[in-house]
Amino acid sequence: MTRFAALGDSITVGMGDPAPGGGWRGWAALLAGTLPQPELHNLATLGALAADVERVQLPAATALRPDVASVVVGINDTLRGDFDPERTGVSVGRTVAALRAAGAEVLTMRLPDPGQMFGLPGALARPLARRMRAVNAAVYEVARRHRTVHLDAAGDPATYERCYWSVDRLHPNERGHRLIACRFHALLAAAGFPVGPGPDPEPSSPPPTRLAEVGWMATKGTAWLVRRSRDLVPALAGLALREWLEGLKGRSAPGSGDPERDDIQREHVNLNVLSRPSGNLRLLSGLPSAHLKVRNRCSKRNEGRSRTAAVS
């Protein structure tokens, strides 16, 4: 039996990939299906922050003594007005350290830029991108120190293809969840972890109609946006204003450097406070050629739609 504990937020819950019998399925369930005699415990919750994962989900996970555990969290942290990348990194570090100490093979992920997915204007997208880079830097350091199986989703060109995302552009759709499961399966196999045949990259359910997508956004999607707007929009507006004012100062200062580099330095994470290393390095990167075919299918599908539109 292979016990799999999945920790994280709505991405690990499976939001965007409806299960045939109701609820959500998601990449964790798809990946679990490739493990020998799997026993999946999905402990992820909607809207979870890194601190929530450490405080609530971690105790339940360590009590299970899992063989495999995933910690995919951080996007919700970037969408908060009290964002602190160091605090996020410390929580992720303690969570991963505890799971490794419990004997689990731990999966982590470098997350894509939500501003790019949302299609936000530059003044709002830039500070959000810096936040995501800061979180990813902290998680990467945790992954390096604790030798996790680390998926670079942010560096995967397929991640930003529209066909892998649900209508809200924050959660993967079924095809996107299958892509994540395929990527993690390939990394586990390359790391020598016992796995069976990989997940099917092709969706098993027809995609939602445009009417269904509009209906979801008009009901559940709107409620999500309102909740986030109370906290996120004022914070992003403040960040955009600060960037504009500091840009004016930078242009007037003699010998001013690259503003993007300066912005990254301002959100520098103190990596010295994160967890100490243990075990042998097994930090993997790169995209297996077998799974690049998934992206090609998606690209060809989009090209076919473009040709059809041009004819019509």
Side-chain angles (χ1 to χ4, degrees), residues 49-60 91 95:
L49 306 174
D52 300 323
V53 172
E54 179 190 3
R55 185 181 67 255
V56 180
Q57 299 176 26
L58 177 60
S91 288
T95 299

Side-chain angles (χ1 to χ4, degrees), residues 46 56 62 95 115 128 162 178 262 280 301:
L46 302 180
V56 180
T62 53
T95 299
L128 192 56
R162 181 67 184 88
R178 288 183 176 277
D262 294 340
N280 296 320
R301 185 177 292 102

Side-chain angles (χ1 to χ4, degrees), residues 8 12 14 35 90 92 122 175 186 191 194-195 221 227 254 256 262 298 305 311:
T12 301
L35 304 176
V90 169
V92 172
R175 185 178 293 277
V195 293
R227 288 195 301 271
S256 59
D262 294 340
C298 185
R305 288 173 180 168
V311 172

Side-chain angles (χ1 to χ4, degrees), residues 157-284:
T159 296
Y160 298 98
E161 293 191 21
R162 181 67 184 88
C163 66
Y164 290 112
W165 293 90
S166 60
V167 65
D168 66 6
R169 298 203 178 193
L170 183 64
H171 300 96
N173 57 18
E174 182 187 351
R175 185 178 293 277
H177 280 283
R178 288 183 176 277
L179 179 68
I180 296 171
C182 286
R183 297 292 196 244
F184 268 132
H185 176 270
L187 291 176
L188 280 171
F193 193 87
V195 293
D200 187 347
E202 293 298 322
S204 59
S205 303
T209 64
R210 184 61 181 165
L211 181 61
E213 290 185 331
V214 171
W216 186 90
M217 283 301 295
T219 54
K220 297 179 181 178
T222 300
W224 177 91
L225 183 61
V226 168
R227 288 195 301 271
R228 284 290 183 268
S229 297
R230 293 172 185 166
D231 189 72
L232 172 62
V233 172
L236 283 180
L239 287 169
L241 178 60
R242 187 186 72 178
E243 179 176 278
W244 179 71
L245 291 173
E246 291 182 353
L248 292 178
K249 293 178 184 177
R251 284 195 294 270
S252 61
S256 59
D258 180 7
E260 182 67 17
R261 181 178 298 274
D262 294 340
D263 288 336
I264 294 172
Q265 291 174 348
R266 278 196 296 271
E267 299 224 16
H268 173 71
V269 182
N270 180 8
L271 300 179
N272 293 326
V273 302
L274 299 178
S275 309
R276 296 183 179 180
S278 63
N280 296 320
L281 179 63
R282 188 155 65 189
L283 180 62
L284 307 174

